[in-house]
């Protein structure tokens, strides 16, 4: 098949391209940056800014009718990023979502996949610990994560209306915090799993690591291989409405840090500091995806985090050998790129 993956310079997009190439597909990649850690195996890589209609349509005009379009491109990151760049995120991502969806309609793509997020869920339902896991109907009445979450809900609805009004076959996954090798692990856009690994690796035993909040916050974290496999299942299945794609293994951030420490038997103390916290407790209810697609995650947090920990450690050793100085603590990213504020 001829397949387009946008956001192919990013974490999930790049891993999806690798899987599709391994399956023997013809894969076209699009992103305004190339993958950070390894070369893309895509058959062709369009280095474009998808906020612009012309640049987006040029891909479709040049390649012809796609069998599948996976739109993963978005200006996004962990809480350190999405809590501090609401206008930037909404403006960029809504343009990307709209341009790619419209081009897919105009150039008659056979199927379209959109990567939504658990941040689309009503935050009022995530204010306590041990909340009931989020099921798909709990996105409405809507009160999603400020900025980022609203754009996700908007784009979900756009997918629904393009299906209802134009007959475009659209599929939507609400990803729940995805982690793994090739994921962002420093610079401020990283999410908690990579942040905890980096902090532990860069802190000598008996030292201390910083944790935003009290560490009692709860999340579930889905390993990248489960994410890629579930994405293909949703795209190629017959269920047209948004589906959770996440782990239902609930963990407290304190415990996430403890698991990271266990890999090299480090004994570090936790220093609780102010930081962007997001919701108090969030978990994925996987009963609907299990019912309609027979899918459930297969990689445990301990297994996935160990792979991630040692991959990040390898990256750190490479950078240290190049004389790059690295910080253990998390930062709020500075966005100075003129494309962002231009
Ligand atoms: P990522 O930031 O690694 O990848 C996103 C890619 O989009 C980046 O490579 C970026 O360069 C590209 N992009 C941004 N603006 C662009 C533009 N104007 N033109 C072209 N490319 C542009 O993020 P990811 O973790 O791989 O996430 C992929 C998708 O899944 C995103 O839509 C994200 O919102 C969604 N998602 C991810 C998670 C997660 O935990 N990783 C959770 C929920 C939803
Ligand atoms: O960043 P994140 O993984 O995103 O944060 C999870 C929890 O971990 C938060 O309560 C955060 O305060 C806490 N935390 C403690 N220390 C640290 O050093 C740290 N770094 C980070 N990053 N977190 C720390 C995410 C969104 C994604 C995506 C997923 C979907 O929200 O950022 O864009 O949409 O949700 O599930 P999180 O899970 O709040």
């Amino acid at each position: 098949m001829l397949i387009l993956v946008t956001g192919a310079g990013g974490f999930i997009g790049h891993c999806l391209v690798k899987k599709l190439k391994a399956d023997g597909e013809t894969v076209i990649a699009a992103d305004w940056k190339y993958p950070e850690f390894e070369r893309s195996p895509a058959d062709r890589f369009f280095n474009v800014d998808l906020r612009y209609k012309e640049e987006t349509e040029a891909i479709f005009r040049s390649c012809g009718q796609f069998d599948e379009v996976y739109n993963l491109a978005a200006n996004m990151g962990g809480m350190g990023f999405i809590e501090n760049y609401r206008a930037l995120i909404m403006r960029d991502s809504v343009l990307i979502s709209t341009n790619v969806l419209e081009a897919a309609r105009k150039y008659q793509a056979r199927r379209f996949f959109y990567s939504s997020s658990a941040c689309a869920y009503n935050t009022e339902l995530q204010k306590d610990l041990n909340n009931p896991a989020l099921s798909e109907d709990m996105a409405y009445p809507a009160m999603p994560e400020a900025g980022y979450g609203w754009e996700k809900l908007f784009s979900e609805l756009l997918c629904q209306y393009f299906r209802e009004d134009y007959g475009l076959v659209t599929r939507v996954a609400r990803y729940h915090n995805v982690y793994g090798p090739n994921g962002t692990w420093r610079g401020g856009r990283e999410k908690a799993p990579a942040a905890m690994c980096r902090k532990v690796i860069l802190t000598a035993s008996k030292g201390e690591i910083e944790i935003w909040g009290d560490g009692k916050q709860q999340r579930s974290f889905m390993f990248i291989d489960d994410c890629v496999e579930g994405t293909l299942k949703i795209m190629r299945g017959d269920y047209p409405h948004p589906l959770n794609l996440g782990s239902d293994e609930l963990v407290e951030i304190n415990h996430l840090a403890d698991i990271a420490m266990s890999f090299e038997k480090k004994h570090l103390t936790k220093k609780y500091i102010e930081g962007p916290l997001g919701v108090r407790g969030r978990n994925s209810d996987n009963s609907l995806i299990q019912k309609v697609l027979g899918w459930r995650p297969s990689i445990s947090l301990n297994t996935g985090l160990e792979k991630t920990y040692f991959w990040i450690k390898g990256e750190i050793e490479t950078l240290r050998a190049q004389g790059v100085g690295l910080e253990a603590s998390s930062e709020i990213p500075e966005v100075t790129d003129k494309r962002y504020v231009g």
Side-chain angles (χ1 to χ4, degrees):
M1 290 190 286
L2 178 64
I3 299 176
L4 170 63
V5 178
T6 76
F11 170 38
I12 301 172
H14 173 63
C15 294
L16 179 60
V17 168
K18 289 201 294 183
K19 166 67 177 152
L20 290 168
K21 282 307 297 171
D23 291 349
E25 308 296 2
T26 303
V27 185
I28 308 299
D31 199 305
W32 64 2
K33 70 170 174 59
Y34 292 100
E36 188 179 347
F37 306 107
E38 51 188 25
R39 259 179 64 74
S40 173
D43 295 277
R44 196 168 164 195
F45 198 109
F46 283 81
N47 192 236
V48 291
D49 185 339
L50 295 166
R51 295 175 303 179
Y52 298 97
K53 189 170 185 289
E54 308 65 43
E55 293 192 41
T56 307
E57 291 204 0
I59 303 165
F60 289 76
R61 256 199 315 281
S62 152
C63 296
Q65 186 178 31
F66 286 110
D67 295 295
E68 296 181 340
V69 173
Y70 295 85
N71 184 32
L72 303 181
N75 199 336
M76 70 82 70
M79 277 322 295
F81 184 71
I82 71 171
E83 207 160 274
N84 291 287
Y85 291 96
R86 291 171 177 164
L88 186 72
I89 287 169
M90 274 193 99
R91 178 200 67 189
D92 283 11
S93 299
V94 83
L95 290 169
I96 296 164
S97 298
T98 306
N99 288 339
V100 180
L101 197 55
E102 171 57 12
R105 178 200 66 79
K106 189 171 170 184
Y107 293 88
Q108 292 154 347
R110 292 197 168 85
R111 281 198 172 219
F112 183 94
F113 174 91
Y114 174 64
S115 49
S116 183
S117 165
C119 286
Y121 283 110
N122 190 324
T123 50
E124 293 299 307
L125 304 174
Q126 305 172 69
K127 286 187 169 316
D128 309 308
L129 296 175
N130 305 313
N131 290 309
L134 296 163
S135 53
E136 285 77 0
D137 58 323
M138 290 158 80
Y140 296 93
M143 187 46 76
E145 185 77 43
Y148 177 74
W150 281 104
E151 187 278 323
K152 289 299 181 188
L153 269 193
F154 164 84
S155 299
E156 285 187 7
L157 287 173
L158 205 58
C159 287
Q160 176 190 327
Y161 301 146
F162 268 61
R163 184 175 72 252
E164 291 169 350
D165 296 359
Y166 305 128
L168 178 65
V169 177
T170 59
R171 296 287 181 264
V172 175
R174 289 179 182 148
Y175 289 160
H176 287 246
N177 213 311
V178 185
Y179 75 100
N182 287 299
T184 307
W185 57 274
R186 64 180 173 132
R189 286 177 184 254
E190 72 279 359
K191 286 171 272 305
M196 293 306 135
C197 290
R198 185 196 69 244
K199 292 179 177 185
V200 170
I201 295 164
L202 289 173
T203 305
S205 239
K206 306 252 187 302
E208 69 177 21
I209 57 166
E210 294 172 340
I211 289 185
W212 294 340
D214 62 6
K216 292 191 172 67
Q217 305 95 299
Q218 295 172 327
R219 294 291 187 279
S220 72
F221 300 105
M222 174 170 60
F223 190 64
I224 182 63
D225 293 1
D226 279 330
C227 178
V228 168
E229 187 210 3
T231 296
L232 296 178
K233 258 198 179 297
I234 291 173
M235 172 64 119
R236 295 166 183 172
D238 297 330
Y239 187 77
H241 308 295
L243 280 169
N244 277 328
L245 190 56
S247 165
D248 49 11
E249 185 184 352
L250 189 67
V251 69
E252 198 182 283
I253 298 303
N254 281 320
H255 187 47
L256 179 72
D258 294 338
I259 298 172
M261 290 181 212
S262 71
F263 300 134
E264 294 187 290
K265 299 191 178 20
K266 282 193 163 177
H267 300 289
L268 308 173
T269 51
K270 300 179 183 91
K271 180 183 175 194
Y272 300 108
I273 62 170
E274 293 291 300
L277 304 179
V279 296
R280 186 72 173 147
R282 172 187 288 151
N283 196 7
S284 177
D285 177 334
N286 290 341
S287 41
L288 183 56
I289 189 168
Q290 204 159 336
K291 178 167 156 258
V292 299
L293 292 175
W295 181 87
R296 57 169 297 97
S298 64
I299 297 150
S300 72
L301 180 59
N302 200 78
T303 303
L305 199 68
E306 186 169 22
K307 291 176 193 280
T308 309
Y309 181 95
F310 287 106
W311 175 81
I312 293 174
K313 188 170 185 194
E315 290 299 310
I316 286 172
E317 283 158 0
T318 305
L319 288 168
R320 273 182 167 153
Q322 295 163 3
V324 175
L326 293 162
E327 280 299 306
S329 58
S330 285
E331 56 195 290
I332 303 301
E334 283 299 312
V335 165
T336 50
D337 183 319
K338 66 180 182 328
R339 287 176 304 190
Y340 286 138
V341 292

Coordinates of all heavy atoms in Angstrom, one line a residue, residues 136 230 233-234 243-246 285-296:
E136 N -14.6 6.1 26.8 CA -14.7 7.0 25.6 C -15.9 8.0 25.8 O -15.7 9.1 25.4 CB -14.9 6.2 24.3 CG -13.6 5.5 23.8 CD -13.2 4.2 24.6 OE1 -13.9 3.9 25.5 OE2 -12.2 3.7 24.2
G230 N -1.5 -1.1 18.2 CA -2.8 -0.7 18.4 C -3.3 0.3 17.3 O -4.4 0.3 16.9
K233 N -4.3 -1.5 14.3 CA -5.5 -2.2 14.5 C -6.7 -1.3 14.3 O -7.7 -1.6 13.7 CB -5.5 -2.9 15.8 CG -5.2 -4.4 15.8 CD -5.7 -5.0 17.1 CE -5.4 -6.5 17.0 NZ -6.2 -7.3 16.0
I234 N -6.6 -0.1 14.9 CA -7.7 0.9 14.9 C -7.9 1.4 13.4 O -9.0 1.4 12.9 CB -7.4 2.1 15.8 CG1 -7.5 1.6 17.3 CG2 -8.4 3.2 15.6 CD1 -7.1 2.6 18.3
L243 N -11.3 5.8 20.1 CA -11.0 4.7 20.9 C -9.8 5.0 21.8 O -8.8 5.6 21.3 CB -10.7 3.4 20.1 CG -11.9 2.6 19.6 CD1 -11.4 1.6 18.6 CD2 -12.7 2.0 20.7
N244 N -9.9 4.6 23.1 CA -8.7 4.7 24.0 C -7.6 3.8 23.4 O -7.9 2.6 23.0 CB -9.1 4.2 25.4 CG -9.7 5.3 26.2 OD1 -9.4 6.5 26.1 ND2 -10.6 4.9 27.1
L245 N -6.4 4.3 23.4 CA -5.3 3.4 23.1 C -4.2 3.7 24.2 O -3.6 4.8 24.2 CB -4.7 3.7 21.7 CG -3.6 2.7 21.2 CD1 -4.2 1.3 21.2 CD2 -3.2 3.0 19.8
G246 N -4.2 2.9 25.2 CA -3.4 3.2 26.4 C -3.2 1.9 27.2 O -3.9 0.9 27.0
D285 N -9.6 3.1 30.4 CA -10.6 2.0 30.4 C -10.5 1.4 29.0 O -10.9 2.0 28.0 CB -12.0 2.5 30.7 CG -13.0 1.4 30.7 OD1 -12.8 0.4 30.0 OD2 -14.1 1.5 31.4
N286 N -10.0 0.2 28.9 CA -9.7 -0.5 27.7 C -10.9 -1.5 27.3 O -10.7 -2.3 26.3 CB -8.4 -1.2 27.7 CG -7.2 -0.3 27.7 OD1 -7.4 0.9 27.4 ND2 -6.1 -0.7 28.2
S287 N -12.0 -1.4 28.0 CA -13.1 -2.4 27.7 C -13.6 -2.2 26.2 O -13.9 -3.2 25.6 CB -14.2 -2.4 28.7 OG -14.5 -1.1 29.0
L288 N -13.7 -1.0 25.8 CA -14.4 -0.9 24.4 C -13.4 -1.3 23.3 O -13.8 -2.1 22.5 CB -14.7 0.6 24.2 CG -15.5 0.9 22.8 CD1 -16.7 0.0 22.7 CD2 -15.8 2.4 22.7
I289 N -12.2 -1.0 23.4 CA -11.2 -1.4 22.3 C -11.1 -2.9 22.4 O -10.9 -3.6 21.3 CB -9.9 -0.7 22.4 CG1 -9.0 -1.1 21.1 CG2 -9.1 -1.0 23.6 CD1 -7.8 -0.2 20.9
Q290 N -11.1 -3.5 23.6 CA -11.0 -5.0 23.7 C -12.3 -5.6 23.1 O -12.2 -6.6 22.3 CB -11.0 -5.3 25.2 CG -10.3 -6.7 25.4 CD -9.8 -6.8 26.8 OE1 -9.5 -5.9 27.5 NE2 -9.6 -8.1 27.3
K291 N -13.4 -4.9 23.3 CA -14.7 -5.5 22.7 C -14.7 -5.4 21.2 O -15.0 -6.4 20.5 CB -15.9 -4.7 23.3 CG -17.3 -5.2 22.9 CD -18.4 -4.6 23.8 CE -19.7 -4.4 23.0 NZ -20.0 -3.1 22.5
V292 N -14.4 -4.2 20.7 CA -14.5 -4.0 19.2 C -13.4 -4.5 18.4 O -13.5 -4.8 17.2 CB -14.9 -2.6 18.9 CG1 -16.1 -2.1 19.5 CG2 -13.7 -1.6 19.2
L293 N -12.2 -4.6 19.0 CA -11.0 -4.9 18.2 C -10.2 -6.1 18.8 O -9.2 -6.5 18.3 CB -10.1 -3.7 18.0 CG -10.6 -2.6 17.1 CD1 -9.6 -1.4 17.1 CD2 -10.8 -3.1 15.7
G294 N -10.6 -6.5 20.0 CA -9.8 -7.6 20.7 C -8.4 -7.2 21.0 O -7.5 -8.0 21.1
W295 N -8.1 -5.9 21.2 CA -6.8 -5.4 21.5 C -6.6 -5.1 23.0 O -7.5 -4.5 23.6 CB -6.4 -4.2 20.7 CG -5.0 -3.7 20.9 CD1 -3.9 -4.1 20.3 CD2 -4.6 -2.8 21.9 NE1 -2.8 -3.5 20.8 CE2 -3.2 -2.6 21.8 CE3 -5.2 -2.0 22.9 CZ2 -2.4 -1.8 22.6 CZ3 -4.5 -1.2 23.7 CH2 -3.1 -1.1 23.6
R296 N -5.5 -5.5 23.5 CA -5.1 -4.9 24.8 C -3.6 -4.8 24.9 O -2.9 -5.5 24.1 CB -5.6 -5.8 26.0 CG -5.3 -7.3 26.0 CD -5.7 -7.9 27.3 NE -4.9 -7.3 28.4 CZ -5.4 -6.3 29.2 NH1 -6.6 -5.9 29.0 NH2 -4.6 -5.8 30.1

